[in-house]
Amino acid sequence: MSVALASAAIDTVQVERPAQIALLGTGTVGSAVLARLQRWQGTAFGRRLQLVHVANSRRAVGDKRGVALRAPAPDIGIAASLDQVANAFRSRGARIVIDATASDAVADRHAQWLALGIHVVTACKLGQGTELARWHDIRNACARGDARYGDSATVGAGLPLLRTLRELQAGGDRIHAIAGVLSGSLAWLCDRYDGMRPFSGFVREARDAGYTEPDPREDLSGEDVRRKLLILARSAGVELESTAVEVESLVAPKLAALPRECVDAALESLDVPLRERFAAAYRDGKKLRYVARLDESGRARVGLEALAAGDVLLGGSGSDNRVAIWSDRYRRQPLLIQGPGAGAAVTAAALLDDVLRIGGTV
C-alpha cells in the first residue's frame, strides 16, 4: 500500500470512529462546549468527535448515531438519570464523559466510569478537590485500567498549571511550595476595589457580569479556592485531607446563615470590614489579594493578604490567575504562570483540549 493510500485509510478510520462524547451540564460552561462543537462542524476537529448524549439535571437526549448540538429543552428527551450515561455509547471507540456540572452526585460517579473504561474530562472540582478518599478512588481507577482523567479545566480555567506540576515531577523535580491568586472572581474584585466605593457594589457588579456564582457567597467564602489548592497540592505530591486547608472566609456568619433570597439586601455587611482591610494595606503601600498558599512544610491556607509592591503575585489584571511554583529547579526565583482564570469560553476550550488529547491517544 502506498504512503498516500495508507494515510487515507488512517483518516477514514478516524472519521468512522470518532471519539464519543456524553456532555453532562448545559449551563454556562456546557453551553459554551456545545457552541464550540457547533463551530467545529465540518472541520477536522469536528470529524474527530461525536456527541451521543447530552443532559442537564432534568432532561437527557441520547442517540448512539449522534445527537443535535443543542441543550435538551424541557419537553424534549427523557428524564435525566446518571444511570443512563454508561450505556450511552457504542461498544467500540473512545468513550468520554464531559462533566460541565457543579454536581457532587456527578463527581461521585467519576471513579465508576473510569473503572468501566470510560474517560472523564471535567471542570468540576468536586472530584479531586474534596475528600482524599474520592481523589484516591479516581487515581486508582486510572491506574488499574486504560481510562484517563482530564482535569485541566479544574484549576485556572485551562492554564497549564496541573500539566506543569506533573511534567516537572516526571523530570525528577521536587515541588517545594505553591502560591497563587486562583479565583478569577476574587481577583476581579480585588483589582477593581478602590476603598472609596462600597465593596458590596462591586460584588453586585461582578455577579451581574457573571464573574461570580449567582450566590456570591460561594466565591467570597473561599471554598472554591480551597478546592483548587487541594487539587494543586495533591498533584504536587502532598496528599492533604480536605479539612487540612485553613480558610479565611470574607462572609460573616450572619450573612452565611441567610437564605439566598435575602443575600442581596445584606451585602452591605461586607463594606466596613473590607474598607478597613483596604485602608490598612493602603497605608503600608500594599494591595489586597485573595491568595492560596502551600508552603514547604505542607501547611495550606487561603485568605485575604496585603501584598507589598514587587510581590510575585501582584501582576495581571481583571480576572487573571497568577501562580508561583517553587521547586528544586525554581528555588530562588519561582516559575510564574498567568492568564485568564475565569470565563465559560476558556473553560470550554480547556475541556475540549483534554477531549482531543485523550481521543487522539486511544
Side-chain angles (χ1 to χ4, degrees), residues 9-337:
I10 291 171
D11 288 344
T12 299
V13 170
Q14 288 176 338
V15 171
E16 289 178 351
R17 296 182 188 171
Q20 304 165 70
I21 299 170
L23 173 64
L24 306 182
T26 58
T28 306
V29 172
S31 294
V33 170
L34 289 170
R36 194 171 182 85
L37 290 172
Q38 286 174 328
R39 290 195 298 272
W40 282 354
Q41 284 189 298
T43 70
F45 287 137
R47 288 190 291 272
R48 291 171 59 186
L49 307 173
Q50 184 179 46
L51 188 67
V52 297
H53 183 83
V54 57
N56 54 35
S57 61
R58 302 173 301 280
R59 310 296 293 178
V61 175
D63 188 331
K64 294 180 181 181
R65 298 167 298 178
V67 300
L69 292 167
R70 62 175 182 268
D75 57 347
I76 293 178
I78 60 175
S81 167
L82 293 177
D83 293 332
Q84 301 159 351
V85 176
N87 297 317
F89 306 96
R90 298 185 303 277
S91 58
R92 301 182 66 183
R95 300 170 294 165
I96 305 173
V97 170
I98 299 179
D99 180 2
T101 75
S103 167
D104 188 70
V106 175
D108 198 44
R109 297 285 186 117
H110 288 181
Q112 297 176 38
W113 291 326
L114 291 164
L116 293 171
I118 300 169
H119 309 284
V120 175
V121 170
T122 181
C124 179
K125 292 167 281 294
L126 299 177
Q128 295 190 115
T130 52
E131 297 86 359
L132 187 59
R134 180 181 283 178
W135 181 82
H136 277 301
D137 287 344
I138 290 169
R139 297 294 101 194
N140 291 338
C142 290
R144 286 193 296 265
D146 297 325
R148 296 176 59 188
Y149 196 72
D151 56 5
S152 300
T154 59
V155 185
L159 291 175
L161 295 172
L162 297 173
R163 184 164 70 249
T164 298
L165 288 173
R166 290 162 182 158
E167 289 177 353
L168 286 173
Q169 293 171 96
D173 205 353
R174 184 169 63 92
I175 309 301
H176 297 291
I178 302 170
V181 175
L182 298 177
S183 167
S185 55
L186 291 173
W188 187 90
L189 286 167
C190 289
D191 184 59
R192 293 292 299 274
Y193 182 51
D194 56 9
M196 300 175 64
R197 291 171 289 172
F199 186 75
S200 56
F202 289 98
V203 173
R204 292 189 180 99
E205 185 179 345
R207 179 197 60 201
D208 295 344
Y211 292 127
T212 71
E213 295 296 328
D215 184 344
R217 293 176 298 182
E218 295 181 33
D219 301 271
L220 297 169
S221 69
E223 180 62 21
D224 180 66
V225 179
R226 183 187 71 84
R227 291 171 180 154
K228 292 175 180 177
L229 183 58
L230 279 171
I231 294 171
L232 289 174
R234 292 166 177 174
S235 297
V238 183
E239 296 187 11
L240 296 176
E241 288 288 353
S242 58
T243 55
V245 182
E246 303 168 26
V247 179
E248 178 194 5
S249 174
L250 301 183
V251 180
K254 287 185 178 180
L255 179 58
L258 290 176
R260 180 171 167 176
E261 61 271 17
C262 299
V263 169
D264 186 78
L267 287 176
E268 279 73 13
S269 64
L270 298 166
D271 294 340
V272 172
L274 266 295
R275 185 168 61 245
E276 292 174 347
R277 295 287 292 272
F278 181 92
Y282 185 82
R283 286 194 298 270
D284 294 334
K286 298 179 178 180
K287 293 183 178 180
L288 294 179
R289 293 292 184 269
Y290 198 86
V291 176
R293 292 190 185 275
L294 174 72
D295 64 28
E296 196 159 0
S297 69
R299 181 190 178 198
R301 63 192 187 280
V302 302
L304 196 64
E305 296 186 12
L307 303 180
D311 191 287
V312 294
L313 299 183
L314 276 181
S317 61
S319 64
D320 277 2
N321 281 189
R322 187 173 173 92
V323 179
I325 300 169
W326 289 265
S327 67
D328 289 342
R329 195 177 304 176
Y330 301 103
R331 181 179 286 274
R332 298 178 64 182
Q333 184 175 355
L335 173 66
L336 289 175
I337 299 174

Side-chain angles (χ1 to χ4, degrees), residues 334-352:
L335 173 66
L336 289 175
I337 299 174
Q338 177 185 320
V346 291
T347 303
L351 285 168
L352 289 173

